[in-house]
Amino acid sequence: MRVHTGEGTGAAVEAEIVALATSGATTLVGLMATDAWTQARSRFAALLGRGRADPGALAGDLDEARAELVRAREAGDDAAAGEAAAEWRGRLRRVLRDDPAAVSELREILAEFTPQAVEPVHAEVHNSISGTVGTAVMGRDLSGFTIGAPAPAPRRGR
């Protein structure tokens, strides 16, 4: 994604800012429940506090948001993460709109805390089965089925 900071239509720039803010908010909320939170908290607090008289106050806001998210998850409130992401998306969008230099800072944060894409592994796999076996599943990167599902009833002779 490339955010333009001076050229192009206002709608295109706004759409790109919203997309970047969404990615940032999703990453931020996801990091709240990880061991990387302490590092992420200070980076996001500095970004969100740009241009404010007391940027340190953002660290308190982030800690409060994290505590609310943890309580909500413990209570089984699955919507809490989405609500938190929506709140932080709006705040990030305002920072990105008001300070174009914040765009590159957010990208650096995302690069630091977002898992990088892994190159696909191309390996030869040779499987073989001999003898009498029940259900056998062989492959790589399998999904969409349940192991241990009841076997179909045996068919009676012809």
Side-chain angles (χ1 to χ4, degrees):
M1 171 190 338
R2 189 174 149 214
V3 174
H4 303 281
T5 56
E7 299 175 19
T9 66
V13 171
E14 181 63 18
E16 291 180 57
I17 286 175
V18 168
L20 185 59
T22 299
S23 180
T26 301
T27 300
L28 171 64
V29 171
L31 287 165
M32 287 180 175
T34 70
D35 293 335
W37 172 243
T38 304
Q39 294 170 328
R41 174 185 164 269
S42 63
R43 297 289 308 273
F44 275 99
L47 173 68
L48 289 160
R50 286 170 157 264
R52 292 183 58 167
D54 183 15
L58 261 300
D61 290 350
L62 288 166
D63 286 337
E64 184 179 320
R66 180 179 191 243
E68 287 176 14
L69 183 64
V70 168
R71 282 192 301 274
R73 285 184 174 166
E74 288 172 353
D77 182 359
D78 295 332
E83 292 169 5
E87 176 186 346
W88 292 106
R89 179 178 51 246
R91 291 175 86 163
L92 282 167
R93 192 178 87 220
R94 286 188 293 279
V95 168
L96 296 174
R97 225 188 292 137
D98 294 344
D99 184 357
V103 169
S104 62
E105 186 175 342
L106 179 55
R107 283 193 176 131
E108 288 173 14
I109 293 170
L110 293 176
E112 182 178 342
F113 292 104
T114 303
Q116 299 300 315
V118 178
E119 289 293 319
V121 175
H122 299 286
E124 278 190 48
V125 176
H126 300 279
N127 295 312
S128 64
I129 296 177
S130 62
T132 304
V133 296
T135 303
V137 178
M138 290 193 273
R140 183 174 174 268
D141 302 327
L142 303 171
S143 66
F145 65 92
T146 303
I147 295 176
R155 294 182 12 167
R156 304 258 173 196
R158 297 180 196 214

